Amino acid sequence: MEYRMHPLQAVLIVFGVLFAFYAVALFWEKIIHHPEHVRAKRVDGHVQEADIVGASKLRPGEWQRTKVRFYGQNGEALWTQGDGFIEYGVMRQNGIYIVRQPS
């Protein structure tokens, strides 16, 4: 006797696979940090536009190491090679990102 899949089973399998892909995408988004374009204040008081990896995920009030790349006054890139990211110490405090050289 030959087994034939009911059309409803096929629909449930397709939705199950799509749900699994969606769950994996959500999990991937949680563990992968993306650069976020923010205004960063250096310890010397100079404010610059910067891309900070995982900026919104930084714990407030704590110095953490992450990658940062800076932009000039007119929004021009200040790097000449690669993607321009360099590790810095970054602290998020009341929506302000304070950046210093890592120690």
Side-chain angles (χ1 to χ4, degrees):
M1 184 167 151
E2 179 181 323
Y3 175 74
R4 299 186 86 167
M5 184 181 295
H6 191 274
L8 187 56
Q9 284 178 312
V11 169
L12 289 174
I13 289 171
V14 168
F15 278 113
V17 169
L18 290 175
F19 179 76
F21 280 128
Y22 178 72
V24 168
L26 282 177
F27 179 71
W28 190 259
E29 180 67 28
K30 293 281 184 194
I31 62 172
I32 297 297
H33 299 292
H34 298 286
E36 300 173 46
H37 195 75
V38 298
R39 292 183 61 81
K41 182 177 182 180
R42 295 194 319 219
V43 176
D44 65 4
H46 187 76
V47 177
Q48 281 183 277
E49 297 290 320
D51 288 337
I52 299 178
V53 174
S56 63
K57 295 179 174 119
L58 295 174
R59 293 182 298 278
E62 292 182 30
W63 286 104
Q64 295 172 270
R65 279 183 103 127
T66 190
K67 293 185 176 185
V68 179
R69 67 179 169 196
F70 292 103
Y71 292 89
Q73 297 276 340
N74 300 324
E76 74 277 4
L78 293 180
W79 62 91
T80 57
Q81 296 179 335
D83 61 6
F85 284 105
I86 301 171
E87 278 203 0
Y88 284 93
V90 179
M91 180 171 53
R92 180 171 65 136
Q93 194 168 32
N94 299 326
I96 300 169
Y97 297 92
I98 303 168
V99 180
R100 71 174 183 193
Q101 292 290 334
S103 51

